[in-house]
Amino acid sequence: MTKVHFSDVAVMEVSNTVFKHKHATRNTLARNRMLARLTEAAEQGVLLATHDNAELMWLRRHVGTDDIAEPEPYLFCLQHDWVVLTPAERALRTIKGLAEFHPDWAFWGYDAALLWGLEVPNDLLGPRFLVKTGCSVPLSAGCRLLRPQAAGALERVDGVRVTPFWRTVEDCLLRAPFSYGLAIADSALRAKGISRDDLCERLQADCEGRHGYRRAQVIASHADGLSENGGESRFRAFFIAYGFPVPELQVKFRDPLDSSQVFRVDYFWRLEDGTCVIGELDGKGKYALQNDEGRESVDPFVAERQRESHLTMLGHKVLRFTFDELKNPGKLAEKMRLAGIPQWADLAEQWRRQWYGR
């Protein structure tokens, strides 16, 4: 037997630098892979959902760093992308992420309305509306549960299971405040091309006797598919509730300086003394000029001044509104009275009796 002495064995020492380099390389690869997945999810309009424990641990270690956020448990996104989203966009991404993480989940109420493309005011976005018997998963804003047997047949929108379109509209109108419900009802009429009478008949057939039915009918009786967005609907709700005459919507005028250009105004009042008042809700989208061949992009800050000056040349008063004015209804009402739009107490009282039932 041959004896081997330690002095005859060559021992190779591996520098710690090599181990550190390999570890750093693995971390870089993992980071690049996860950031790529987060970027892909953002491009698809969803939050990243993962069932992989290793990925989950890595993501949570890096929340608050590496530009990573966790808006809902188990759902992740790039922080810089999340902060620039509107509340509706955030809600949609959250719903789609939850649906991917929990394939058995379905959605109703305001969540389903968002997926159907209806106008859901930001103040209604928050708690999730789930079709299930219980929710053991903590959600940042809680949840509203609807038992599957009460939801009935479900449909899919963008891969997410939701209550059918008209069932969704009805659920929203049965619980929404007046101005918010009007935004949803207007967008439903606009999407389906039906009249307010059709909506009232549908509510009567499907919802009579349910809690909130009377108020849902009040909303439906004032709905108008010509309203182009939720902001316009909410201001019209103010006009109705505070006793002002309801204006005509989306009235068209030829530009007095260029007959090929057409202006479409949000509100138009024809008063008893022959005076006409144009009402305009501020917003970037409306400052594109429109001609017979379609829309032409115009710098909104320049076009705002141009549009108002041209409308004034028509010989009508132009009354501008901003969303913040809804926070002070008394001051807004005074502004309208000063513009010559009459406020009738009997109209306001009629609405109050309809809405509050007394």
Side-chain angles (χ1 to χ4, degrees):
M1 187 171 87
T2 304
K3 293 183 178 180
V4 179
H5 299 281
F6 284 111
S7 58
D8 298 327
V9 180
V11 179
M12 180 181 295
E13 293 185 3
V14 180
S15 170
N16 284 337
T17 304
V18 175
F19 288 114
K20 290 179 180 179
H21 175 71
K22 290 182 177 180
H23 181 69
T25 300
R26 285 196 298 269
N27 280 344
T28 300
L29 291 173
R31 180 179 182 276
N32 290 343
R33 184 176 67 254
M34 295 310 302
L35 290 179
R37 290 193 61 195
L38 288 164
T39 300
E40 182 182 8
E43 291 172 350
Q44 295 174 351
V46 299
L47 299 180
L48 176 62
T50 179
H51 291 274
D52 185 284
N53 285 333
E55 290 184 348
L56 181 62
M57 290 175 62
W58 190 95
L59 286 164
R60 284 189 166 161
R61 282 200 306 270
H62 292 80
V63 168
T65 64
D66 284 322
D67 193 32
I68 296 174
E70 185 180 10
E72 290 284 354
Y74 305 100
L75 301 181
F76 301 87
C77 64
L78 295 170
Q79 178 67 25
H80 78 270
D81 181 64
W82 183 254
V83 296
V84 299
L85 297 177
T86 66
E89 290 169 336
R90 290 184 180 187
L92 274 173
R93 293 195 181 194
T94 300
I95 293 166
K96 291 178 181 179
L98 288 170
E100 181 180 348
F101 194 77
H102 304 279
D104 60 319
W105 284 17
F107 298 83
W108 68 288
Y110 304 137
D111 286 351
L114 272 180
L115 284 158
W116 281 114
L118 296 172
E119 291 277 354
V120 182
N122 292 342
D123 290 346
L124 300 181
L125 303 175
R128 299 277 68 87
F129 286 73
L130 303 178
V131 178
K132 59 197 312 292
T133 54
C135 183
S136 59
V137 177
L139 296 174
S140 61
C143 57
R144 302 287 185 270
L145 300 180
L146 180 67
R147 293 185 178 277
Q149 56 268 35
L154 298 173
E155 299 181 20
R156 285 191 179 271
V157 178
D158 291 341
V160 181
R161 296 195 307 152
V162 296
T163 48
F165 182 88
W166 287 115
R167 168 62 193 264
T168 298
V169 172
E170 291 163 359
D171 286 337
C172 291
L173 299 191
L174 288 169
R175 65 189 302 120
F178 179 64
S179 67
Y180 297 159
L182 194 61
I184 295 170
D186 286 350
S187 62
L189 299 192
R190 189 167 65 247
K192 297 300 183 181
I194 70 169
S195 69
R196 69 179 61 152
D197 291 338
D198 294 331
L199 179 57
C200 289
E201 290 176 6
R202 182 178 289 273
L203 282 170
Q204 184 176 14
D206 296 343
C207 304
E208 190 170 14
R210 293 179 60 185
H211 179 71
Y213 168 71
R214 176 176 50 77
R215 289 188 173 186
Q217 279 287 13
V218 174
I219 294 171
S221 69
H222 291 288
D224 193 326
L226 289 177
S227 184
E228 290 192 333
N229 58 62
E232 292 180 15
S233 300
R234 292 193 60 201
F235 269 89
R236 201 171 83 259
F238 168 84
F239 304 151
I240 294 167
Y242 280 78
F244 291 99
V246 178
E248 299 173 49
L249 305 181
Q250 310 306 328
V251 176
K252 293 181 180 180
F253 294 98
R254 289 285 177 182
D255 186 335
L257 297 182
D258 183 355
S259 61
S260 68
Q261 300 291 343
V262 176
F263 294 119
R264 206 153 36 84
V265 300
D266 298 331
Y267 311 114
F268 187 66
W269 286 273
R270 304 176 195 267
L271 306 181
E272 292 181 353
D273 63 359
T275 302
C276 293
V277 180
I278 291 172
E280 288 275 85
L281 177 60
D282 282 346
K284 290 182 180 180
K286 64 167 55 11
Y287 299 133
L289 297 179
Q290 186 174 18
N291 56 35
D292 293 333
E293 298 178 354
R295 296 186 70 82
E296 172 191 353
S297 296
V298 178
D299 184 302
F301 301 103
V302 174
E304 174 184 359
R305 302 297 183 187
Q306 183 183 18
R307 177 184 172 94
E308 184 168 357
S309 65
H310 289 206
L311 288 174
T312 303
M313 292 177 192
L314 295 169
H316 306 315
K317 293 181 181 179
V318 178
L319 189 59
R320 306 200 68 86
F321 301 108
T322 64
F323 287 105
D324 283 345
E325 289 181 293
L326 287 174
K327 299 175 182 177
N328 191 339
K331 188 173 182 180
L332 178 56
E334 180 182 6
K335 173 180 176 177
M336 294 186 65
R337 290 192 299 268
L338 289 174
I341 301 175
Q343 184 178 22
W344 296 316
D346 57 336
L347 282 182
E349 180 59 29
Q350 178 183 345
W351 177 84
R352 279 193 291 270
R353 285 197 302 267
Q354 291 176 339
W355 186 251
Y356 294 106
R358 59 178 184 273

